[in-house]
């Protein structure tokens, strides 16, 4: 079950807690206590009940419970103690707010059309880097990402997506494994990097999460220029340790890195990281890094692809001038020609084609990206969103659920794509919960939220979202929103129109001084 608690979202099955769209590190006992309180919502729980539920068979002091309650309140932002109430001389009670929503959990990956349930799942954690070199950390973060990407090519292995694997690094050592296991990872791969003569020594260990049993370990010594061979070898060794019959042909077609030299590669990594972040000027900074990468390595397909994406984002996505989208498309086509077996090049080209409303061509390249890398969570999510736009929201939602299963600590944009699918299958309340998880909302996203509340009959919240959206962009009318929608079906566009009209979007009084629009990722 997924439970919204104020501005926090608790996923009891996956063992995750988010606030404002961001993952919140939670100690195992703190999570267990919160889960037990939520499961017994509205009932006073004695201290003895809580001791038995959270510390069964273990004698702990009352101070431990008090501290754990304090941690729970901090995690969910309950400083006023309005959600978790102390009942004097009796215990504690979780009392959800009126707007708390509970939704059933998403189906497993086996429910999607592909019908595959990959086993086992491995989480590759960011390596610990003990090197006095500022380039070493981004270099090995990139190496781990490429190892994750390479492992995804083995159709007999599922890989915890990069965003979720890196989010685990914020946990303490004692909590990482428990959290990884809750996220569905059967194995964890860890690495430690030390400097050596003109290169590095890296110790990589693969262990079973449930038992802690070491499955495989090896130390690699290599020069900086040999980083790409190291990535490929580690992916092969991990796969070999997990599966008896490895699809070696799939690995042979994997390009372990798209840059021919390490300096260019570091610029690509920094550019990608900036594109994934939020803030003033980050997209322009990303573009500068990608241009530098191409200056050093003009034949880097991945750098060309991400530069095309950066130009599209800076231009305004689907609202970018046609000349910008055409130029981005041509650059992405060039990237694909340079790296025809790089799934990310096909995915980025598909996104740009989608923004140009070239639906059939976008479908072809999304399919190719999934064929090359069937367990890439971002490609699954974006394919699901694409199906939703084309009127196949049920199929789209199933693919998005599979993406979330592979990437439970996913980036915030998953919430928008999944909210869109939920909206168009008629699950308006769940769609509102998903859109609400976006940490920063544009007028367009507030319009979606207003439509969800309007269609669900919660007119007070619908009008509140409409007011906020019109303050951000006073000129954004219902007609403007409908005209710019990429939805193919008339009935899908009219559904959003109906929700916005119920929210009174066009009737909302405009502010005398419009508030500046907030720059956002897509």
């Amino acid at each position: 079950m997924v439970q919204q608690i104020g501005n926090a979202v608790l996923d009891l099955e996956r063992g995750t807690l988010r606030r404002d769209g961001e993952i919140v590190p939670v100690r195992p006992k703190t999570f267990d206590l919160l889960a037990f309180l939520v499961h017994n919502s509205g009932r006073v729980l004695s201290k003895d009940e809580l001791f038995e539920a959270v510390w069964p068979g273990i004698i702990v002091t009352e101070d431990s419970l008090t501290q754990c309650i304090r941690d729970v309140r901090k995690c969910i932002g309950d400083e006023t103690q309005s959600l978790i109430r102390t009942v004097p001389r009796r215990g504690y009670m979780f009392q959800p707010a009126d707007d708390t929503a509970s939704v059933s959990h998403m189906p497993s990956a086996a429910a999607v059309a592909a019908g595959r349930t990959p086993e086992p799942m491995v989480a590759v954690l960011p390596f610990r880097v003990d090197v006095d070199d500022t380039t070493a950390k981004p270099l090995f973060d990139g190496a781990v990402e490429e190892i994750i990407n390479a492992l995804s090519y083995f159709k007999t292995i599922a890989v915890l997506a990069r965003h979720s694997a890196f989010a685990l690094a914020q946990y303490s050592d004692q909590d990482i494994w428990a959290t990884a296991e809750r996220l569905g990872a059967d194995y964890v791969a860890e690495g430690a990097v030390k400097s050596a003569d003109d290169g590095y020594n890296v110790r990589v260990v693969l262990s079973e999460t449930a038992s802690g049993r070491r499955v495989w370990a090896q130390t690699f010594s290599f020069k900086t220029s040999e980083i790409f061979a190291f990535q490929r070898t580690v992916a092969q060794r991990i796969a070999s340790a997990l599966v008896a019959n490895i699809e070696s042909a799939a690995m042979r077609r994997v390009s372990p890195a798209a840059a021919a030299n390490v300096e260019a590669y570091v610029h690509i990594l920094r550019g990608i990281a900036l594109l994934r972040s939020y803030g003033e000027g980050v997209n322009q900074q990303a573009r500068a890094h990608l241009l530098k990468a191409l200056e050093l390595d003009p034949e880097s397909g991945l750098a060309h692809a991400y530069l095309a994406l950066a130009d599209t984002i800076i231009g305004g996505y689907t609202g970018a001038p046609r000349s910008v989208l055409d130029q981005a498309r041509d650059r992405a086509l060039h990237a694909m020609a340079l790296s025809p077996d790089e799934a990310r090049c096909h995915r980025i080209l598909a996104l740009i084609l989608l923004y140009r409303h070239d639906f059939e061509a976008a479908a072809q390249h999304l399919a190719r990206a999934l064929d090359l890398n069937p367990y890439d969570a971002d490609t699954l999510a974006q394919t699901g969103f694409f199906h939703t736009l084309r009127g196949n929201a049920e199929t789209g939602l199933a693919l998005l659920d599979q993406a979330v299963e592979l990437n439970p600590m996913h980036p915030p944009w998953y919430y928008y794509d999944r909210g869109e699918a939920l909206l168009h299958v008629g699950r308006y309340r769940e769609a509102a919960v998903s859109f609400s998880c976006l940490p920063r909302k544009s007028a367009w996203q507030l319009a979606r939220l207003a439509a969800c509340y309007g269609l669900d009959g919660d007119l007070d919240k619908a009008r509140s979202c409409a007011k906020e959206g019109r303050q951000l962009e006073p000129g954004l009318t219902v007609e403007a929103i409908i005209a710019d929608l990429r939805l193919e079906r008339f009935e899908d566009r009219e559904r959003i129109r109906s929700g916005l009209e119920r929210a009174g979007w066009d009737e909302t009084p405009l502010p005398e001084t419009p508030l500046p629009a907030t720059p956002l990722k897509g």
Side-chain angles (χ1 to χ4, degrees), residues 260-295:
N261 64 70
V262 173
E263 188 180 354
Y265 182 49
V266 170
H267 280 291
I268 293 173
L269 298 175
R270 288 174 174 164
I272 293 172
L274 285 163
L275 284 178
R276 288 172 173 160
S277 67
Y278 292 78
E280 188 67 32
V282 292
N283 299 320
Q284 288 77 7
Q285 294 171 42
R287 188 177 191 276
H289 277 293
L290 294 165
L291 285 171
K292 184 63 177 178
L294 287 172
E295 181 182 317

Side-chain angles (χ1 to χ4, degrees), residues 225-382:
S225 60
E226 298 169 337
I227 185 77
F228 306 137
F230 162 75
Q231 294 166 184
R232 181 176 60 248
T233 301
V234 170
Q236 289 173 331
R237 298 290 166 81
I238 290 174
S240 297
L242 293 177
V243 183
N245 300 311
I246 294 301
E247 300 175 19
S248 57
M251 178 54 78
R252 282 197 298 271
R253 72 184 179 187
V254 176
S255 173
N261 64 70
V262 173
E263 188 180 354
Y265 182 49
V266 170
H267 280 291
I268 293 173
L269 298 175
R270 288 174 174 164
I272 293 172
L274 285 163
L275 284 178
R276 288 172 173 160
S277 67
Y278 292 78
E280 188 67 32
V282 292
N283 299 320
Q284 288 77 7
Q285 294 171 42
R287 188 177 191 276
H289 277 293
L290 294 165
L291 285 171
K292 184 63 177 178
L294 287 172
E295 181 182 317
L296 295 165
D297 180 14
E299 301 302 303
S300 169
L302 203 57
H304 278 290
Y306 275 102
L307 179 57
L309 180 60
D311 286 339
T312 303
I313 293 172
I314 293 168
Y317 300 95
T318 191
R322 186 71 175 194
S323 60
V324 171
L325 292 174
D326 287 347
Q327 186 176 7
R329 176 205 57 195
D330 293 344
R331 184 178 289 279
L333 284 167
H334 180 59
M336 192 186 67
L338 290 169
S339 303
D341 290 331
E342 171 54 71
R344 287 168 288 185
C345 291
H346 286 275
R347 174 167 61 83
I348 289 171
L349 174 59
L351 283 176
I352 295 167
L353 291 169
L354 176 60
Y355 297 138
R356 296 180 74 259
H357 300 272
D358 294 340
F359 290 105
E360 296 303 328
Q364 176 185 345
H365 288 286
L366 282 172
R368 180 59 177 154
L370 278 180
D371 180 60
L372 287 166
N373 194 341
Y375 299 129
D376 180 75
D378 288 354
T379 303
L380 283 165
Q382 288 166 350

Side-chain angles (χ1 to χ4, degrees), residues 43 73 87 98 109 111 122 125 147 247 268 292 385 398 466 475:
R43 185 169 73 85
R73 285 170 171 158
V87 182
D98 293 338
V122 59
L125 304 183
I147 290 167
E247 300 175 19
I268 293 173
K292 184 63 177 178
F385 182 65

Side-chain angles (χ1 to χ4, degrees), residues 184-199:
D186 303 286
Y187 298 88
V188 169
E190 302 172 283
V193 181
K194 295 185 179 297
S195 56
D197 294 339
D198 69 359

